[in-house]
Amino acid sequence: MQEKSKPNYIIPNNVDVAIFDVDNTLAKCNIVNFYLFIQKKRKNRFLWLWYFISFVVRAPYFIVLDLVSRDLFNRLFVERKFRKFQYKELETYAELFFNEFLKHRMIASTHDLIKYLQSKNVPIVLISTNFDLIVKQFGKYFDVPYICLKILPTASGVTIDFSNLDNFKENAVKEYSANSIGVGDSKYDIPVLNYVDYPYVVADKPQKWFKYLKKTPVLLDIKIKKQMTGETL
């Protein structure tokens, strides 16, 4: 039987591990998608429409903030928007978000690459600066370990541990052999892509930030995976 998930490019032999980013690498998503998903669940249709319009008006501020500093974005958007939720509440929303949204936003090339590597007994690990309630859903789906930011319950809600955000991916990837595949989608994955011997990027053409890479990466298709008859994502 032909291997359904076999990629149409050469995979290096005898790599020690394959290290994957999550947001926009495994699925078209980000933390803003999760926040809006929660708000839509919590509001009736009329209130949700008005809330969404007001959010769109404010969106340029958050986009610029993220471009200027991912650290500032995390502290001024992520921490403020999620800190008043209870841990169990966010845990429930994260599972719903994965099943109702993320499963339908999986990127075909990276989804199938993981499945193929697993069929060849190559260990997989996820490294993400997203927080663990989201990342663990991917870990559970692919049955792989993950490293990410921790979200901790408090008396009034939750707190996200940003204490080791600086150089997070760089420090995490150094726990593994350089004889590895690294897969990302943005300039924030440069530390991983420059550390590994085999960098892969989800992109349909070379990006400006590629000039900071030590090696030319393999480009992976950006198309979202289509659910086939009889296939469960």
Side-chain angles (χ1 to χ4, degrees), residues 27-70:
K28 292 284 187 181
C29 67
N30 56 48
I31 197 65
V32 176
N33 295 137
F34 182 43
Y35 179 72
L36 291 176
F37 177 85
I38 293 173
Q39 294 304 319
K40 188 173 183 179
K41 288 290 185 182
R42 291 164 62 92
K43 300 179 185 299
N44 64 43
R45 186 175 180 180
F46 178 77
L47 290 177
W48 160 246
L49 178 61
W50 281 108
Y51 181 85
F52 182 73
I53 292 172
S54 68
F55 187 89
V56 169
V57 171
R58 291 174 288 153
Y61 164 74
F62 298 121
I63 293 171
V64 172
L65 186 64
D66 188 37
L67 289 173
V68 171
S69 170
R70 177 59 59 89

Side-chain angles (χ1 to χ4, degrees), residues 11 21 29 38-39 46 52 62 64 93 98 103 108 126 130 167 177-178 200:
I11 300 294
D21 176 50
C29 67
I38 293 173
Q39 294 304 319
F46 178 77
F52 182 73
F62 298 121
V64 172
Y93 279 130
F98 186 83
K103 277 187 176 181
L126 312 180
N130 204 333
N167 302 317
S177 162
Y200 290 61

